[in-house]
């Protein structure tokens, strides 16, 4: 008890080095044993986080420095997980704003910074990766200052301390000239900026706001949040003030704090600490835990609404149930209900279409939803996923509104004309353009709808040399119809195994998605047609055998390697009458209606 406590969050655009900085914090505060093997980005503990190289879930850890306990929150940098960032801001005393020394402030930097400034936090700027050849650290500081002014920062916030460093090497320095070999300048700046949490608040009645949820299979739902006032004890009877104003009673059966990377059980915790509590089953984000006779509720935490939806359907393909363990509506519902326990940016609704068996799942973007699909796939679920659709709203005048994105693209000058043309066709409006003669940096405001399916085209058009970053900028008036995919598909009209002879004949019709010796079914998409209509094909036909052989005509067939889709690419590719069939082993594309007759019946369906 009576420790000096400081809570900080690390915020930045994706790939600016947040998780690497947290690694450096942990290694320089002797959290690990001398013989302990330490992974890079140790806080990115989820499999998908490690594979994708991004932070998806905000996580806590704690370090000790000169008698201070510093609780650190590593936050996601991707716009789709901004609901995680919004809540965390309320639990910290200051934020370390990490900005790349070459890229400068990016769209997501603006979003996370605005949330911090709204809550009155005074950020510390750390310009990272100053060892880059193209670093322009001092210019970046000026750009960040301009961003603070644009976001109406107050006088105190504008006087932010600026530090420079290389998180990968665990180095932070006060200026570009003043060299260092550790993080001491950062630690000292944090202590000078914040000071320790007022000890006298520990003498007041308990006030704890839940900002994050977790689930433990042994002890149930866990509430994570900052203890603003009082001393919380294990076994204590409490009142829970809900977001709707109602009050419930409960008992703290388990109380935990963070030490290093571990969650440690304690008997009591003091004001200022980030704590984890168990024993209260219906906790939600924004609930305030108080003493039963002294209820002092904090303002509820408002989470921004979802902007995109997909239908999670029962897999109805002929291959359903072959490899998955969970294939029924009940299985899917139970899993989605479990996800809602901890994933507050998510909504689940029953489908209005009586012919479809599944649920409408709404989230903050394609990545937000595809991470959930990938998680379910690895757990043994089979699903049919529909095309992503944006969530449209109506204003007071009855006008249709749709979500908009700010997109910054950085492309070689030779490709910029193609990219600009495609963004214009997708109802984008150019906001800014800058060029150095070699690369062009273009800023667009574009409907979220217009970006569905654009990423793979962008990669192809720029030969992989283009960089695109985006962030949500709210809702605007509906921009009208946007043309979808220009090409039709090659659809299998037979059940069986693909043969090289048949595929060789189909190659002149378009790009194939399957190779030889692959099982296919009637209604499965096996390729992209070179024209704008769907074409029914038979990829299982073999060569008719005769008694005669001609010299040279029976040589082995040479096929072009088929195009393979990742989950995100498949979701972007499909149109309204198609589904992605997701199983633990395969990702297939199929028509919503498998038989040709059914497809003809639904050809003119509204979509």
């Amino acid at each position: 008890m009576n420790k000096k406590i400081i809570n900080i969050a690390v915020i930045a655009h994706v790939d600016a080095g947040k998780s690497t900085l947290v690694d450096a914090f942990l290694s320089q505060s002797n959290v690990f044993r001398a013989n302990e093997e330490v992974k890079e980005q140790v806080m990115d503990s989820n499999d998908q986080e490690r594979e994708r190289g991004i932070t998806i879930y905000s996580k806590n850890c704690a370090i000790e420095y000169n008698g201070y306990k510093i609780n650190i929150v590593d936050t996601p940098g991707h716009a789709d997980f901004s609901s995680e960032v919004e809540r965390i801001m309320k639990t910290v005393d200051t934020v370390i704003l990490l900005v790349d020394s070459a890229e400068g402030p990016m769209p997501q930097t603006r979003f996370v910074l605005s949330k911090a400034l709204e809550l009155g936090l005074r950020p510390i700027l750390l310009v990272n990766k100053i060892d880059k050849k193209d670093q322009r650290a001092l210019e970046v500081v000026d750009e960040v200052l301009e961003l603070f002014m644009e976001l109406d920062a107050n006088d105190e916030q504008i006087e932010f301390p600026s530090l420079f460093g290389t998180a990968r090497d665990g180095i932070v320095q006060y200026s570009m000239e003043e060299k260092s070999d550790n993080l001491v300048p950062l630690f000292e700046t944090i202590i000078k900026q914040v000071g320790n949490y007022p000890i006298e608040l520990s003498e007041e009645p308990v006030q704890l706001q839940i900002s994050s949820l977790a689930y433990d299979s042994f002890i149930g739902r866990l509430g994570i949040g900052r203890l603003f006032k009082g001393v919380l004890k294990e076994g204590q009877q409490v009142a829970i003030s809900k977001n709707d104003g109602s009050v419930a009673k409960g008992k703290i059966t388990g109380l935990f704090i963070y030490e290093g990377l571990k969650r440690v059980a304690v008997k009591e915790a003091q004001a200022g600490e980030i704590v984890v509590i168990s024993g209260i089953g219906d906790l939600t984000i924004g609930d305030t835990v108080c003493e039963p006779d002294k209820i002092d509720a904090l303002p509820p935490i408002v989470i921004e609404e979802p902007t995109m939806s997909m239908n999670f359907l029962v897999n109805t393909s002929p291959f359903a149930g072959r490899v998955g363990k969970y294939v029924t509506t009940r299985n899917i519902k139970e899993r989605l209900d479990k996800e809602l326990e901890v994933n507050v940016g998510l909504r689940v609704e029953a489908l209005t279409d009586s012919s479809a068996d599944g649920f409408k799942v709404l989230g903050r973007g394609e990545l937000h939803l595809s991470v959930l699909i990938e998680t379910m796939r690895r757990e043994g679920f089979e699903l049919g996923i529909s095309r992503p659709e944006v969530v449209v709203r109506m204003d007071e005048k009855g006008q249709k509104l749709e979500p908009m994105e700010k997109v910054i693209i950085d492309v070689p000058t030779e490709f910029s004309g193609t990219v600009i043309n495609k963004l214009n066709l997708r109802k984008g409006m150019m906001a800014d353009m800058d060029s150095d003669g070699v690369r062009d940096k273009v800023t667009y405001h574009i409907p979220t709808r217009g970006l569905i399916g654009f990423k793979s085209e962008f990669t192809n058009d720029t030969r992989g040399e283009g960089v695109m970053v985006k962030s949500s900028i709210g809702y605007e008036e509906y921009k009208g119809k946007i043309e979808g995919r220009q090409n039709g598909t090659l659809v299998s009209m037979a059940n069986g195994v693909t043969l090289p002879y048949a595929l060789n004949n189909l190659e002149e019709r378009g790009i194939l998605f399957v190779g030889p010796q692959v099982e296919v079914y009637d209604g499965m998409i096996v390729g992209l047609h070179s024209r704008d209509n769907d074409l029914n094909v038979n990829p299982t036909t073999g060569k008719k055998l005769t008694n005669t052989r001609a010299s040279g005509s029976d040589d082995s067939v040479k096929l072009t390697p088929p195009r393979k889709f990742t989950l995100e690419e498949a979701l972007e590719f499909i149109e309204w009458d198609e589904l992605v069939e997701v199983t633990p082993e395969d990702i297939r594309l199929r028509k919503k209606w498998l038989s040709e007759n059914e497809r003809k019946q639904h050809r003119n369906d509204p979509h």
Side-chain angles (χ1 to χ4, degrees):
M1 289 294 288
N2 293 342
K3 266 189 179 173
K4 298 172 184 173
I5 296 172
I6 295 175
N7 298 330
I8 64 169
V10 186
I11 61 173
H13 186 81
V14 66
D15 207 29
K18 294 181 301 301
S19 300
T20 309
L21 179 64
V22 175
D23 285 357
F25 270 129
L26 292 165
S27 64
Q28 291 191 27
S29 56
N30 302 318
V31 166
F32 305 112
R33 299 188 312 274
N35 63 344
E36 190 171 352
E37 185 185 339
V38 182
K39 294 178 181 173
E40 287 188 358
Q41 284 88 46
V42 67
M43 293 284 277
D44 290 346
S45 50
N46 177 283
D47 284 347
Q48 286 195 65
E49 290 183 316
R50 301 201 72 80
E51 287 166 24
R52 294 169 185 262
I54 59 171
T55 303
I56 295 172
Y57 308 104
S58 61
K59 289 173 286 296
N60 303 60
C61 66
I63 60 170
E64 300 273 345
Y65 175 78
N66 276 5
Y68 284 85
K69 179 182 180 184
I70 303 177
N71 285 311
I72 304 168
V73 189
D74 183 19
T75 62
H78 202 285
D80 286 21
F81 306 108
S82 51
S83 57
E84 294 273 327
V85 182
E86 292 171 53
R87 309 191 308 274
I88 297 310
M89 295 296 180
K90 284 205 169 186
T91 66
V92 298
D93 301 301
T94 189
V95 292
I96 298 171
L97 177 66
L98 211 58
V99 180
D100 188 294
S101 66
E103 291 177 346
M106 302 294 269
Q108 184 63 5
T109 316
R110 184 189 186 92
F111 176 84
V112 291
L113 179 60
S114 68
K115 294 293 174 190
L117 296 176
E118 279 170 25
L119 292 169
L121 296 174
R122 292 171 57 210
I124 296 166
L125 172 65
L126 174 54
V127 181
N128 191 25
K129 305 184 185 180
I130 58 170
D131 56 336
K132 278 186 169 182
K133 285 179 183 170
D134 58 345
Q135 67 85 11
R136 45 186 196 90
L138 298 177
E139 282 178 52
V140 166
V141 174
D142 292 338
E143 287 175 13
V144 173
L145 179 59
E146 285 174 23
L147 183 57
F148 270 70
M149 290 173 174
E150 280 177 39
L151 295 172
D152 294 328
N154 62 35
D155 293 347
E156 270 195 334
Q157 290 169 330
I158 281 179
E159 295 292 324
F160 57 86
S162 301
L163 299 169
F164 306 86
T166 309
R168 190 187 58 214
D169 300 333
I171 293 169
V172 171
Q173 49 203 51
Y174 289 111
S175 68
M176 290 297 287
E177 296 77 35
E178 199 174 329
K179 299 301 178 192
S180 161
D181 60 0
N182 55 34
L183 294 178
V184 168
L186 181 53
F187 287 130
E188 294 295 338
T189 304
I190 291 167
I191 292 167
K192 185 180 173 187
Q193 177 96 332
V194 180
N196 58 299
Y197 199 77
I199 241 41
E200 59 273 14
L201 289 176
S202 291
E203 296 163 14
E204 296 194 17
V206 166
Q207 187 187 50
L208 159 69
Q209 187 164 40
I210 303 302
S211 61
S212 189
L213 297 171
Y215 189 82
D216 187 294
S217 51
F218 294 105
I219 53 180
R221 186 182 278 204
L222 303 172
I224 305 167
R226 180 177 196 162
L227 182 58
F228 287 95
K229 297 177 186 173
V231 174
L232 195 63
K233 298 178 180 176
E234 185 187 12
Q236 186 172 341
Q237 296 289 340
V238 291
I240 301 99
S241 176
K242 314 292 276 180
N243 285 332
D244 59 5
S246 62
V247 177
K249 296 279 191 288
K251 181 183 176 183
I252 309 289
T253 58
L255 179 62
F256 308 86
I257 62 170
Y258 290 95
E259 286 182 9
L261 289 164
K262 298 182 180 71
R263 202 168 65 208
V264 180
V266 290
K267 294 296 180 189
E268 59 181 56
Q270 72 184 75
E273 187 69 86
I274 291 180
V275 299
V276 184
I277 60 171
S278 66
I280 302 165
D282 58 347
L283 271 180
T284 55
I285 301 291
D287 287 356
T288 309
V289 177
C290 314
E291 291 184 14
D293 54 342
K294 290 172 183 158
I295 293 164
D296 182 13
L298 287 161
I301 296 173
V302 179
I303 305 298
E304 290 197 13
E305 291 298 308
T307 57
M308 192 165 281
S309 71
M310 296 179 195
N311 294 341
F312 284 38
L313 307 169
V314 171
N315 185 14
T316 55
S317 91
F319 296 168
R322 284 193 181 184
V323 291
K325 289 190 288 184
Y326 309 110
V327 294
T328 64
T329 318
R330 182 177 60 82
N331 293 145
I332 297 168
K333 184 178 189 314
E334 284 174 0
R335 179 62 183 83
L336 291 174
D337 287 345
K338 184 182 166 191
E339 188 66 23
L340 288 169
E341 295 257 322
V342 293
N343 195 338
V344 293
L346 207 68
R347 303 272 187 284
V348 176
E349 297 174 2
L351 281 176
T352 51
D353 183 359
S354 57
S355 65
D357 207 359
F359 303 92
K360 184 178 184 178
V361 182
L362 300 95
R364 294 280 292 170
E366 274 177 277
L367 185 61
H368 185 198
L369 293 170
S370 69
V371 164
L372 171 59
I373 297 165
E374 182 63 32
T375 304
M376 290 175 69
R377 179 170 98 95
R378 293 178 185 200
E379 289 170 1
F381 282 84
E382 288 193 9
L383 299 163
I385 308 289
S386 72
R387 176 181 167 82
E389 290 181 3
V390 297
V391 177
V392 176
R393 293 181 190 167
M394 294 290 182
D395 64 6
E396 308 83 49
K397 300 174 187 170
Q399 272 189 323
K400 208 171 173 184
L401 303 177
E402 66 173 329
M404 297 289 290
E405 306 262 345
K406 179 182 182 180
V407 180
I408 296 177
I409 58 167
D410 189 331
V411 292
T413 303
E414 61 191 290
F415 305 130
S416 61
T418 308
V419 173
I420 287 169
N421 184 42
K422 290 203 171 174
L423 288 171
N424 289 340
L425 290 172
R426 291 165 177 265
K427 308 290 183 187
M429 287 285 290
M430 189 187 289
D432 188 29
M433 183 168 180
D434 193 18
S435 177
D436 62 4
V438 180
R439 292 182 74 88
D440 293 347
K441 188 175 180 181
V442 188
T443 304
Y444 260 81
H445 294 174
I446 185 169
T448 304
R449 275 183 308 139
L451 291 175
I452 297 172
F454 179 64
K455 193 175 175 183
S456 51
E457 276 188 44
F458 176 75
T459 305
N460 290 336
D461 291 340
T462 62
R463 298 182 190 168
E465 291 185 52
V467 179
M468 177 170 72
V469 288
K470 58 192 176 93
S471 66
S472 176
I473 53 170
Y475 275 70
E476 287 182 17
E477 198 176 322
Y478 192 76
K479 305 295 179 190
K481 189 179 178 186
I482 296 174
E483 290 299 326
R485 194 179 67 218
Q486 301 301 307
N487 296 61
T489 53
L490 302 176
V491 185
S492 172
M493 55 193 245
N495 300 314
V497 177
T498 57
L499 294 173
Y501 175 77
L503 296 179
N504 188 45
N505 290 332
L506 291 179
E507 279 200 330
E508 62 195 49
R509 297 285 191 173
I511 299 165
L512 294 178
F513 301 158
V514 293
Q517 298 303 305
V518 174
E519 270 196 283
V520 294
Y521 53 80
D522 183 10
M524 181 171 153
I525 296 171
V526 296
L528 181 68
H529 192 196
S530 55
R531 301 192 178 182
D532 61 0
N533 62 310
D534 290 339
L535 184 69
N536 295 313
V537 297
N538 187 351
T540 66
T541 51
K543 186 173 183 181
K544 296 287 182 288
L545 298 179
T546 64
N547 286 335
T548 58
R549 287 286 180 271
S551 168
S553 63
D554 290 326
D555 289 347
S556 60
V557 170
K558 287 187 173 62
L559 294 171
T560 307
R563 178 179 169 186
K564 296 291 181 188
F565 286 92
T566 63
L567 178 59
E568 278 91 0
E569 287 168 350
L571 292 169
E572 286 193 337
F573 176 83
I574 58 173
E575 284 294 330
W576 68 275
D577 62 339
E578 295 162 359
L579 298 174
V580 178
E581 180 189 348
V582 177
T583 75
E585 290 180 10
D586 299 289
I587 292 171
R588 300 185 189 94
L589 304 176
R590 52 162 283 193
K591 286 292 184 182
K592 194 180 283 187
W593 297 280
L594 293 176
S595 77
E596 189 180 353
N597 284 336
E598 277 186 305
R599 291 201 293 277
K600 282 178 180 172
Q601 287 171 21
H602 293 93
R603 186 175 290 160
N604 298 318
D605 273 12
H607 56 277

